Amino acid sequence: MPAPPASEDDLLALDEALTRLAAEDPEAARVVQLRYFAGLSVEEAAESLGMSRATAYRHWTFARAWLLQELAGDEPA
Amino acid sequence: MSADFQRAKDIFLAAVEQTDPLEREACLRQACGDDAALRRRVQALLRRHDQTNSLLEQPPFDAAAMLAPESPKTDAPGPRQEAACTRLGPYKLLQMIGEGGMGTVWMAEQQEPVRRLVALKVIRVGLDSGHAVARFEAERQALALMDHPNIAKILDGGTTADGRPYFVMELVKGTPITKYCDEHRL
């Protein structure tokens, strides 16, 4: 099932969570910015950040789970 | 990065490789030892990872509403077709060539001062709040600062009649890098 379109509130919450991620893990946050907001693929993000594809994928995998956890707050997973 | 954060990230990345629940459990047990808080933290991340219907899976974006906000949702003519006739200043939008998290990218024809095809990215309807616009502007700024033959150059930028920012890049036709890598077995 496709994800429902995110509302503007969701996006703003995501943007705030991403700012918190950037404080802890700037490289992972850069991958998300390029992948999600600038519309690059993970491979393209890796290239523009000068990191290996494997590293970019690790950042992306972690950042996605971390951001979802942040957005969910206390909601059980 | 704090030591706690780094540790949780490392353990998460090791555990996520284990697709078998028992092996994943063993990996967690070994890595977290008796640090229950760390273990709960990593377990929560793993559960989020396993969720498929999540916010980040696809860009939050409704292409139909993009440039035809007034059009009712009918089957034909599609709103996309209608949008394809839209003009933005000196640019005539020809064909949607991509969608990103914040907007759409169009192949457009610039008519003056020179006639050429360009790529035009415009923020989507409903995203034009202060935060989103600031982020879009940041992307425009970042691209404008990059001067490299392999990065598309920013040619122009502006605001639509209804206040949505857009920017114009050189149109680069080519193979997506993933396809290139597959074809060349990289």
Side-chain angles (χ1 to χ4, degrees):
Chain A
M1 206 170 104
S7 70
E8 189 174 340
D9 283 351
D10 286 342
L11 282 175
L12 292 181
L14 176 62
D15 189 52
E16 283 161 22
L18 194 53
T19 305
R20 292 194 293 278
L21 178 64
E24 284 281 9
D25 194 341
E27 283 200 339
R30 287 294 292 148
V31 172
V32 177
Q33 280 166 350
L34 291 174
R35 169 76 182 77
Y36 190 69
F37 285 113
L40 301 191
S41 67
V42 176
E43 288 87 348
E44 289 165 334
E47 183 150 304
S48 88
L49 294 171
M51 59 177 67
S52 71
R53 283 202 266 172
T55 301
Y57 269 110
R58 285 164 65 83
H59 283 315
W60 171 245
T61 302
F62 171 74
R64 201 173 44 181
W66 189 89
L67 289 168
L68 289 171
Q69 177 64 15
E70 282 290 296
L71 293 178
D74 294 333
E75 222 176 274
Chain B
M1 195 186 307
S2 71
D4 278 358
F5 189 96
Q6 180 72 63
R7 217 170 147 216
K9 181 173 180 175
D10 290 343
I11 297 170
F12 166 81
L13 287 169
V16 87
E17 303 270 305
Q18 309 293 337
T19 45
D20 180 87
L22 289 175
E23 284 176 29
R24 189 180 273 191
E25 184 58 33
C27 172
L28 273 183
R29 202 168 41 237
Q30 195 194 353
C32 299
D34 49 13
D35 189 340
L38 176 64
R39 184 164 160 164
R40 274 198 303 277
R41 199 170 160 190
V42 178
Q43 274 170 331
L45 290 173
L46 289 166
R47 282 194 297 271
R48 295 296 170 199
H49 175 80
D50 292 336
Q51 287 174 351
T52 49
N53 184 15
S54 70
L55 180 68
L56 288 160
E57 289 303 321
Q58 67 182 41
F61 171 59
D62 179 357
M66 181 58 225
L67 283 166
E70 307 298 323
S71 69
K73 296 201 171 186
T74 50
D75 287 345
R80 231 178 246 207
Q81 256 173 298
E82 213 170 301
C85 304
T86 308
R87 299 177 62 93
L88 264 183
Y91 305 99
K92 185 176 168 193
L93 303 185
L94 301 175
Q95 186 193 344
M96 191 171 81
I97 52 180
E99 311 177 7
M102 305 206 76
T104 32
V105 181
W106 294 78
M107 183 167 76
E109 186 186 12
Q110 182 178 10
Q111 297 183 313
E112 54 189 88
V114 287
R115 264 178 101 94
R116 59 179 168 182
L117 288 179
V118 296
L120 189 150
K121 184 165 183 175
V122 61
I123 200 167
R124 83 175 168 104
V125 173
L127 254 186
D128 44 0
S129 69
H131 267 81
V133 169
R135 181 159 284 284
F136 192 82
E137 293 291 341
E139 185 192 345
R140 179 154 90 188
Q141 184 67 25
L143 280 170
L145 290 173
M146 294 183 202
D147 181 19
H148 187 276
N150 295 351
I151 297 175
K153 287 182 186 52
I154 289 275
L155 303 171
D156 189 15
T159 310
T160 63
D162 57 351
R164 285 175 292 134
Y166 67 88
F167 60 79
V168 180
M169 291 172 284
E170 63 178 315
L171 179 67
V172 182
K173 292 209 167 182
T175 316
I177 190 166
T178 43
K179 192 163 167 235
Y180 179 89
C181 290
D182 289 345
E183 283 169 4
H184 293 75
R185 301 186 183 189
L186 295 177

